[in-house]
Amino acid sequence: MRTPAPAATGTRPRNQQKRRDAWAAALFLAPSMVGFTLFVILPALIGLGLSFFRWDLFGTPEWAGLDNITRLFKDPTMWSALWTTIEFIVLGVIPTILVGFVLAVLINSRMRGIGPLRILYFAPMVASSAVAAVLWSYMYDPRAGVANKVLGWFGVDGPAWLSSTTWALPAMSVMMIWLAVPLVMILYLAGLQRIPDDIYAAAALDGAGRWRQLWSITWPMVRATTVLVATLQVINFMSNSFEVSLIMTDGGPLDRTQTLALYAYKTAFGDSDMGYASALCLFQLVLIGLAVLLFRLGARILRRSS
């Protein structure tokens, strides 16, 4: 008389448990997936289709072929908005990475009084970019704003931040840096806590000081985190440039802060040119995709070199 193999009796319950876990996970994810499909994927596909039509929001869409795409590259306003977007990203992403890294190193250390500072630095995470834009607009007010009052304590006359062609874009970038730093700090903190203490102990025995350890151990060991942070922040600054620019300056002065996303919005709902606005959004999506590919390529090169 044959007896069943012991392994088979344990495999069937495990498979059943895996199937139950998979169904449970699918049920929990279903509402989010439905929402993502309805409010992100579907509008994106409709926008992709509209980029090949002429449509003023009210009449019947007319087939335009590639006219909207070719128009992009002949539009000087588009190039100006693209350059403004690049400036906004460069002014914001690099300081965000550096400030987030330095703060993460400080928080990861055992400094006295760091507890209250942790709460203070994490505070911006509770604010949305729209709320932060409104708050910082009051702070940049040339007469009653906090920014110019603080400068006044040092005898400096602050500019009219948001109505200056020189200072409006940096002022917007500072607000975005303040908003983005907490998330960057958390990511770096996770990366720092994965570095074994033995490496620092060995470096200290060899006579390496804190600055040497920071440059030769800490920074290289969080390179993967830096690539991730840079990718996320390029997407963050590009996507949030719309509401920040709209609320704080409405693209002014003299279109100095009109980013690509805001130009697409004004084209769609100001000029009622949905086809060209969809082409602008498609162009921005392609730029984001290229940025992600470049960062992934950089991360792969860094992994091979290390």
Side-chain angles (χ1 to χ4, degrees):
M1 183 176 177
R2 292 183 177 180
T3 56
T9 56
T11 303
R12 183 172 296 173
R14 279 201 298 271
N15 290 337
Q16 290 175 349
Q17 182 62 38
K18 285 182 179 177
R19 279 197 293 271
R20 282 197 293 269
D21 291 346
W23 277 108
L27 284 175
F28 279 112
L29 288 173
S32 298
M33 293 303 295
V34 170
F36 186 75
T37 303
L38 286 177
F39 298 109
V40 177
I41 300 294
L42 189 60
L45 292 175
I46 293 173
L48 174 63
L50 278 177
S51 63
F52 298 99
F53 287 85
R54 297 187 189 90
W55 188 40
D56 62 358
L57 280 171
F58 299 103
T60 304
E62 297 177 4
W63 176 254
L66 296 176
D67 287 355
N68 289 324
I69 307 296
T70 55
R71 181 180 161 190
L72 275 173
F73 300 99
K74 301 175 184 175
D75 183 0
T77 308
M78 190 285 292
W79 288 111
S80 172
L82 176 61
W83 177 247
T84 300
T85 306
I86 293 171
E87 279 186 280
F88 184 56
I89 291 171
V90 172
L91 284 172
V93 171
I94 295 173
T96 299
I97 292 172
L98 294 176
V99 173
F101 173 72
V102 171
L103 291 179
V105 170
L106 289 175
I107 286 178
N108 196 45
S109 65
R110 295 177 177 80
M111 289 175 58
R112 285 187 176 181
I114 202 68
L117 287 177
R118 290 182 183 181
I119 298 172
L120 184 64
Y121 291 140
F122 284 115
M125 288 196 72
V126 301
S128 69
S129 55
V131 172
V134 173
L135 290 175
W136 279 75
S137 296
Y138 287 115
M139 291 173 63
Y140 284 134
D141 187 282
R143 294 182 179 176
V146 174
N148 281 359
K149 285 189 176 180
V150 172
L151 289 176
W153 296 342
F154 301 96
V156 178
D157 292 329
W161 296 95
L162 299 180
S163 56
S164 164
T165 53
T166 303
W167 292 105
L169 199 62
M172 285 169 44
S173 300
V174 169
M175 190 282 293
M176 280 295 295
I177 292 168
W178 174 80
L179 196 62
V181 158
L183 176 62
V184 173
M185 194 169 52
I186 290 172
L187 293 173
Y188 270 123
L189 200 55
L192 290 173
Q193 291 179 352
R194 293 175 60 187
I195 302 175
D197 292 337
D198 297 346
I199 297 178
Y200 292 108
L205 287 174
D206 289 339
R210 288 186 178 275
W211 285 108
R212 184 65 178 172
Q213 291 178 20
L214 183 69
W215 181 250
S216 301
I217 298 174
T218 308
W219 182 248
M221 295 288 280
V222 295
R223 278 187 300 193
T225 306
T226 302
V227 173
L228 172 66
V229 164
T231 307
L232 292 177
Q233 290 310 312
V234 167
I235 297 172
N236 176 38
F237 272 73
M238 188 173 280
S239 58
N240 283 326
S241 64
F242 161 66
E243 54 197 14
V244 171
S245 178
L246 179 68
I247 292 171
M248 296 184 77
T249 61
D250 195 22
L254 303 175
D255 291 341
R256 183 65 184 87
T257 59
Q258 178 167 267
T259 59
L260 201 56
L262 183 61
Y263 180 46
Y265 170 79
K266 288 185 174 180
T267 302
F269 299 103
D271 302 336
S272 299
D273 192 349
M274 293 298 293
Y276 186 52
S278 299
L280 287 167
C281 293
L282 179 63
F283 182 56
Q284 181 165 297
L285 184 64
V286 170
L287 292 178
I288 291 175
L290 285 174
V292 172
L293 285 176
L294 284 175
F295 281 119
R296 283 180 64 86
L297 181 63
R300 187 171 297 178
I301 292 172
L302 284 175
R303 278 199 300 271
R304 288 181 179 176
S305 64
S306 60

Short mmCIF file of all heavy atoms in Angstrom, two decimals, residues 82 85 89 230-241 260-261 280-296:
data_model
loop_
_atom_site.label_atom_id
_atom_site.label_comp_id
_atom_site.label_asym_id
_atom_site.label_seq_id
_atom_site.Cartn_x
_atom_site.Cartn_y
_atom_site.Cartn_z
N LEU A 82 9.88 76.01 -22.20
CA LEU A 82 10.75 74.86 -21.92
C LEU A 82 12.01 75.30 -21.19
O LEU A 82 12.45 74.66 -20.23
CB LEU A 82 11.10 74.16 -23.24
CG LEU A 82 12.07 72.99 -23.12
CD1 LEU A 82 11.50 71.88 -22.25
CD2 LEU A 82 12.41 72.44 -24.51
N THR A 85 11.21 76.02 -17.65
CA THR A 85 11.04 74.77 -16.89
C THR A 85 12.40 74.18 -16.52
O THR A 85 12.60 73.72 -15.39
CB THR A 85 10.24 73.75 -17.74
OG1 THR A 85 9.01 74.34 -18.15
CG2 THR A 85 9.95 72.50 -16.95
N ILE A 89 13.92 73.60 -12.74
CA ILE A 89 14.40 72.30 -12.27
C ILE A 89 15.83 72.40 -11.75
O ILE A 89 16.15 71.90 -10.66
CB ILE A 89 14.29 71.26 -13.40
CG1 ILE A 89 12.81 70.95 -13.69
CG2 ILE A 89 15.02 69.97 -13.03
CD1 ILE A 89 12.59 70.11 -14.92
N ALA A 230 17.16 62.22 -7.35
CA ALA A 230 17.23 63.12 -8.50
C ALA A 230 16.10 62.82 -9.49
O ALA A 230 15.45 63.75 -10.01
CB ALA A 230 18.59 62.99 -9.18
N THR A 231 15.84 61.54 -9.73
CA THR A 231 14.76 61.17 -10.65
C THR A 231 13.41 61.66 -10.14
O THR A 231 12.63 62.28 -10.88
CB THR A 231 14.71 59.64 -10.83
OG1 THR A 231 16.01 59.18 -11.20
CG2 THR A 231 13.71 59.24 -11.89
N LEU A 232 13.14 61.39 -8.86
CA LEU A 232 11.85 61.80 -8.29
C LEU A 232 11.69 63.31 -8.28
O LEU A 232 10.60 63.82 -8.57
CB LEU A 232 11.73 61.26 -6.85
CG LEU A 232 11.62 59.74 -6.70
CD1 LEU A 232 11.59 59.36 -5.23
CD2 LEU A 232 10.34 59.24 -7.38
N GLN A 233 12.76 64.03 -8.00
CA GLN A 233 12.63 65.48 -7.90
C GLN A 233 12.52 66.16 -9.26
O GLN A 233 11.86 67.19 -9.38
CB GLN A 233 13.81 66.06 -7.10
CG GLN A 233 13.77 65.71 -5.63
CD GLN A 233 12.41 66.00 -5.00
OE1 GLN A 233 11.85 67.07 -5.18
NE2 GLN A 233 11.87 65.03 -4.28
N VAL A 234 13.14 65.60 -10.28
CA VAL A 234 12.93 66.16 -11.64
C VAL A 234 11.46 66.03 -12.01
O VAL A 234 10.83 66.98 -12.52
CB VAL A 234 13.83 65.44 -12.66
CG1 VAL A 234 13.39 65.77 -14.08
CG2 VAL A 234 15.28 65.86 -12.47
N ILE A 235 10.88 64.86 -11.74
CA ILE A 235 9.45 64.67 -12.03
C ILE A 235 8.60 65.59 -11.15
O ILE A 235 7.63 66.21 -11.62
CB ILE A 235 9.06 63.20 -11.80
CG1 ILE A 235 9.82 62.30 -12.77
CG2 ILE A 235 7.56 62.99 -11.95
CD1 ILE A 235 9.66 60.82 -12.50
N ASN A 236 8.98 65.71 -9.87
CA ASN A 236 8.23 66.56 -8.94
C ASN A 236 8.23 68.02 -9.38
O ASN A 236 7.19 68.67 -9.45
CB ASN A 236 8.85 66.41 -7.54
CG ASN A 236 8.20 67.32 -6.53
OD1 ASN A 236 6.99 67.52 -6.55
ND2 ASN A 236 8.99 67.89 -5.65
N PHE A 237 9.41 68.54 -9.71
CA PHE A 237 9.50 69.95 -10.09
C PHE A 237 8.80 70.20 -11.42
O PHE A 237 8.20 71.26 -11.63
CB PHE A 237 10.96 70.39 -10.15
CG PHE A 237 11.49 70.86 -8.84
CD1 PHE A 237 11.76 69.97 -7.81
CD2 PHE A 237 11.71 72.20 -8.60
CE1 PHE A 237 12.24 70.41 -6.58
CE2 PHE A 237 12.18 72.65 -7.38
CZ PHE A 237 12.45 71.75 -6.37
N MET A 238 8.88 69.23 -12.34
CA MET A 238 8.24 69.44 -13.64
C MET A 238 6.71 69.38 -13.51
O MET A 238 6.00 70.21 -14.08
CB MET A 238 8.72 68.39 -14.63
CG MET A 238 8.25 68.65 -16.06
SD MET A 238 8.98 67.54 -17.26
CE MET A 238 10.58 68.30 -17.48
N SER A 239 6.21 68.43 -12.75
CA SER A 239 4.75 68.28 -12.65
C SER A 239 4.13 69.36 -11.77
O SER A 239 3.05 69.86 -12.07
CB SER A 239 4.41 66.89 -12.12
OG SER A 239 5.01 66.69 -10.86
N ASN A 240 4.80 69.75 -10.67
CA ASN A 240 4.23 70.75 -9.77
C ASN A 240 4.48 72.18 -10.23
O ASN A 240 4.00 73.12 -9.59
CB ASN A 240 4.79 70.58 -8.35
CG ASN A 240 4.14 69.42 -7.63
OD1 ASN A 240 2.96 69.15 -7.83
ND2 ASN A 240 4.89 68.73 -6.81
N SER A 241 5.26 72.35 -11.30
CA SER A 241 5.52 73.70 -11.79
C SER A 241 4.25 74.39 -12.24
O SER A 241 4.16 75.62 -12.22
CB SER A 241 6.53 73.67 -12.94
OG SER A 241 5.98 72.98 -14.05
N LEU A 260 6.30 74.98 -18.97
CA LEU A 260 5.68 74.23 -20.06
C LEU A 260 4.26 73.77 -19.68
O LEU A 260 3.33 73.84 -20.49
CB LEU A 260 6.55 73.02 -20.39
CG LEU A 260 6.39 72.37 -21.76
CD1 LEU A 260 6.58 73.38 -22.87
CD2 LEU A 260 7.35 71.20 -21.90
N ALA A 261 4.10 73.33 -18.43
CA ALA A 261 2.78 72.86 -17.99
C ALA A 261 1.77 74.00 -17.96
O ALA A 261 0.61 73.84 -18.37
CB ALA A 261 2.91 72.23 -16.60
N LEU A 280 1.44 69.62 -26.41
CA LEU A 280 2.39 70.14 -25.42
C LEU A 280 2.54 69.18 -24.23
O LEU A 280 3.65 68.94 -23.74
CB LEU A 280 1.93 71.51 -24.92
CG LEU A 280 2.08 72.68 -25.89
CD1 LEU A 280 1.28 73.88 -25.40
CD2 LEU A 280 3.55 73.06 -26.05
N CYS A 281 1.40 68.65 -23.77
CA CYS A 281 1.45 67.70 -22.64
C CYS A 281 2.18 66.42 -23.05
O CYS A 281 2.94 65.85 -22.26
CB CYS A 281 0.04 67.37 -22.17
SG CYS A 281 -0.82 68.77 -21.42
N LEU A 282 1.92 65.96 -24.27
CA LEU A 282 2.61 64.77 -24.76
C LEU A 282 4.12 65.00 -24.82
O LEU A 282 4.91 64.14 -24.44
CB LEU A 282 2.08 64.41 -26.15
CG LEU A 282 2.70 63.19 -26.83
CD1 LEU A 282 2.42 61.93 -26.03
CD2 LEU A 282 2.16 63.04 -28.26
N PHE A 283 4.51 66.20 -25.26
CA PHE A 283 5.93 66.56 -25.32
C PHE A 283 6.55 66.54 -23.92
O PHE A 283 7.65 66.03 -23.73
CB PHE A 283 6.06 67.95 -25.96
CG PHE A 283 7.47 68.41 -26.13
CD1 PHE A 283 8.40 67.66 -26.84
CD2 PHE A 283 7.88 69.61 -25.57
CE1 PHE A 283 9.71 68.10 -26.99
CE2 PHE A 283 9.18 70.05 -25.72
CZ PHE A 283 10.09 69.29 -26.42
N GLN A 284 5.82 67.07 -22.95
CA GLN A 284 6.33 67.06 -21.57
C GLN A 284 6.45 65.64 -21.04
O GLN A 284 7.42 65.32 -20.34
CB GLN A 284 5.40 67.88 -20.68
CG GLN A 284 5.86 67.95 -19.25
CD GLN A 284 5.16 69.02 -18.44
OE1 GLN A 284 5.30 70.19 -18.74
NE2 GLN A 284 4.41 68.62 -17.44
N LEU A 285 5.49 64.79 -21.39
CA LEU A 285 5.56 63.38 -20.96
C LEU A 285 6.78 62.69 -21.55
O LEU A 285 7.46 61.91 -20.87
CB LEU A 285 4.27 62.66 -21.38
CG LEU A 285 4.13 61.21 -20.93
CD1 LEU A 285 4.07 61.13 -19.41
CD2 LEU A 285 2.88 60.58 -21.54
N VAL A 286 7.07 63.00 -22.81
CA VAL A 286 8.26 62.41 -23.45
C VAL A 286 9.54 62.89 -22.75
O VAL A 286 10.46 62.11 -22.51
CB VAL A 286 8.30 62.79 -24.95
CG1 VAL A 286 9.64 62.41 -25.58
CG2 VAL A 286 7.16 62.09 -25.68
N LEU A 287 9.57 64.17 -22.37
CA LEU A 287 10.74 64.71 -21.65
C LEU A 287 10.94 64.01 -20.31
O LEU A 287 12.06 63.68 -19.93
CB LEU A 287 10.58 66.21 -21.44
CG LEU A 287 10.63 67.09 -22.69
CD1 LEU A 287 10.41 68.54 -22.32
CD2 LEU A 287 11.97 66.93 -23.40
N ILE A 288 9.83 63.78 -19.59
CA ILE A 288 9.93 63.08 -18.30
C ILE A 288 10.45 61.65 -18.52
O ILE A 288 11.31 61.16 -17.79
CB ILE A 288 8.57 63.06 -17.59
CG1 ILE A 288 8.21 64.47 -17.12
CG2 ILE A 288 8.58 62.11 -16.40
CD1 ILE A 288 6.82 64.59 -16.52
N GLY A 289 9.93 60.98 -19.57
CA GLY A 289 10.39 59.63 -19.87
C GLY A 289 11.89 59.60 -20.19
O GLY A 289 12.62 58.71 -19.73
N LEU A 290 12.35 60.60 -20.97
CA LEU A 290 13.78 60.66 -21.29
C LEU A 290 14.62 60.89 -20.04
O LEU A 290 15.69 60.29 -19.88
CB LEU A 290 14.02 61.80 -22.30
CG LEU A 290 13.59 61.52 -23.73
CD1 LEU A 290 13.77 62.78 -24.58
CD2 LEU A 290 14.41 60.37 -24.32
N ALA A 291 14.13 61.76 -19.14
CA ALA A 291 14.86 62.03 -17.90
C ALA A 291 14.98 60.76 -17.06
O ALA A 291 16.06 60.45 -16.53
CB ALA A 291 14.16 63.13 -17.10
N VAL A 292 13.89 59.99 -16.97
CA VAL A 292 13.93 58.75 -16.19
C VAL A 292 14.91 57.76 -16.82
O VAL A 292 15.70 57.10 -16.12
CB VAL A 292 12.52 58.14 -16.10
CG1 VAL A 292 12.56 56.76 -15.46
CG2 VAL A 292 11.60 59.05 -15.29
N LEU A 293 14.89 57.64 -18.15
CA LEU A 293 15.82 56.72 -18.82
C LEU A 293 17.27 57.12 -18.58
O LEU A 293 18.13 56.27 -18.34
CB LEU A 293 15.52 56.70 -20.32
CG LEU A 293 14.28 55.93 -20.75
CD1 LEU A 293 14.06 56.07 -22.25
CD2 LEU A 293 14.43 54.45 -20.39
N LEU A 294 17.54 58.44 -18.63
CA LEU A 294 18.91 58.91 -18.40
C LEU A 294 19.37 58.59 -16.98
O LEU A 294 20.50 58.15 -16.76
CB LEU A 294 18.99 60.42 -18.65
CG LEU A 294 18.98 60.84 -20.12
CD1 LEU A 294 18.92 62.36 -20.23
CD2 LEU A 294 20.21 60.31 -20.84
N PHE A 295 18.49 58.80 -16.01
CA PHE A 295 18.87 58.51 -14.63
C PHE A 295 19.07 57.00 -14.43
O PHE A 295 19.96 56.59 -13.68
CB PHE A 295 17.82 59.05 -13.67
CG PHE A 295 17.95 60.52 -13.43
CD1 PHE A 295 16.93 61.38 -13.76
CD2 PHE A 295 19.11 61.05 -12.88
CE1 PHE A 295 17.05 62.75 -13.55
CE2 PHE A 295 19.24 62.42 -12.66
CZ PHE A 295 18.20 63.27 -13.00
N ARG A 296 18.23 56.19 -15.06
CA ARG A 296 18.40 54.73 -14.94
C ARG A 296 19.72 54.30 -15.55
O ARG A 296 20.42 53.44 -15.03
CB ARG A 296 17.24 54.00 -15.62
CG ARG A 296 15.96 54.01 -14.79
CD ARG A 296 14.86 53.26 -15.53
NE ARG A 296 15.19 51.85 -15.68
CZ ARG A 296 14.94 50.92 -14.79
NH1 ARG A 296 14.35 51.26 -13.65
NH2 ARG A 296 15.26 49.68 -15.00
#
